[in-house]
Amino acid sequence: MTLCDDFESTAAGAVPDTARWSVGGPNCFDGSGKATIDSAVSHGGTRSVRIDPGSSYCGHAFIISPKVATMGPVVYGRFYIRLAQTLGDPHVTIMSMHDAIESVDGSTQDLRMGGQSGILMWNRSKDDATLPSLSPTGISLSTKIPAATWTCIEFGLDSAMGTMQTWVNGSAVSALQLDSTPTADVDQAWLGSRPSWKPSVTDLKLGWEAYGGNGNTVWLDDIALHTSRIGCGS
């Protein structure tokens, strides 16, 4: 396992283990957003990471691991997330990964997972493409993330094959799968926008970023990275 952290070894109120994590943001970070170990809410054991964003755009907060850069072309991840409020209509991000393919000519681009139109979705910062397409059909094929309960999210990225896979609570979500065959209302627009794009990521950032002042308290627990699928039970 490249990374496995249940946060049990870090004291409540402290920042996550600095040997594994830093705290910051994918675009800017003014320090007002916080990531601290919480002993009041947890998925397994007695601790989790609590994300409290600041009130400004640059107050978003993420815990950041550089381990992805050492993993090669295939990256699988698993994390548990608990939201104080459900995902609403505005665009927000809960996971962001530096996109090595798109970060050229001095720009920094990320592959992101988050919410929009009330559903879980992928987003590419370079061209703001979404997976699925935010059509009525695409929205119906994704899933919602409920508030005040733990949700297991898994992803698989293959930079050689150009594929992305997503599972929620152990089940594949049809709207969140990317392959080489365009599917209407799912990945057709994503593939059409940048046909040569493949998911080549170099870090893992988990937290909360809103683009219209939409705050939320987020808890994260039992985070893992590996070169094969991890599952929700391990």
Side-chain angles (χ1 to χ4, degrees):
M1 199 79 73
T2 303
L3 173 69
C4 186
D5 200 349
D6 59 8
F7 307 103
E8 295 298 302
S9 62
T10 307
V15 297
D17 182 0
T18 55
R20 294 180 173 181
W21 304 98
S22 60
V23 178
N27 295 302
C28 59
F29 181 62
D30 64 14
S32 63
K34 305 297 181 185
T36 53
I37 301 299
D38 189 355
S39 61
V41 176
S42 63
H43 169 256
T46 62
R47 290 176 172 81
S48 67
V49 174
R50 174 173 167 150
I51 304 292
D52 290 288
S55 59
S56 67
Y57 170 70
C58 291
H60 51 237
F62 288 75
I63 55 173
I64 305 168
S65 169
K67 287 289 188 179
V68 174
T70 69
M71 294 181 65
V74 178
V75 175
Y76 283 83
R78 190 278 314 282
F79 60 95
Y80 281 84
I81 188 166
R82 183 183 177 102
L83 303 174
Q85 303 173 45
T86 56
L87 297 173
D89 287 333
H91 182 199
V92 298
T93 294
I94 59 174
M95 180 178 77
S96 195
M97 309 175 82
H98 180 257
D99 188 337
I101 293 275
E102 299 285 22
S103 297
V104 296
D105 299 326
S107 69
T108 299
Q109 305 293 337
D110 273 35
L111 173 64
R112 307 182 290 204
M113 178 190 287
Q116 194 166 351
S117 300
I119 59 159
L120 188 66
M121 59 92 176
W122 288 93
N123 173 259
R124 191 167 51 198
S125 69
K126 177 73 173 181
D127 58 351
D128 208 29
T130 64
L131 181 76
S133 297
L134 296 179
S135 65
T137 299
I139 290 169
S140 72
L141 292 172
S142 188
T143 189
K144 297 179 182 293
I145 302 299
T149 189
W150 286 101
T151 298
C152 174
I153 296 179
E154 299 175 83
F155 62 89
L157 308 176
D158 189 322
S159 64
M161 298 297 293
T163 59
M164 302 197 304
Q165 298 170 279
T166 316
W167 302 264
V168 174
N169 292 328
S171 297
V173 181
S174 60
L176 304 178
Q177 315 298 325
L178 174 72
D179 56 27
S180 59
T181 303
T183 300
D185 295 299
V186 178
D187 61 0
Q188 186 174 45
W190 182 288
L191 290 167
S193 175
R194 301 185 71 78
S196 63
W197 180 89
K198 294 180 178 180
S200 181
V201 295
T202 61
D203 67 5
L204 172 69
K205 298 182 281 287
L206 293 167
W208 182 262
E209 181 177 34
Y211 307 99
N214 304 287
N216 209 337
T217 304
V218 178
W219 290 266
L220 300 160
D221 205 355
D222 296 324
I223 300 169
L225 292 169
H226 197 38
T227 53
S228 60
R229 189 180 170 191
I230 301 158
C232 293
S234 57

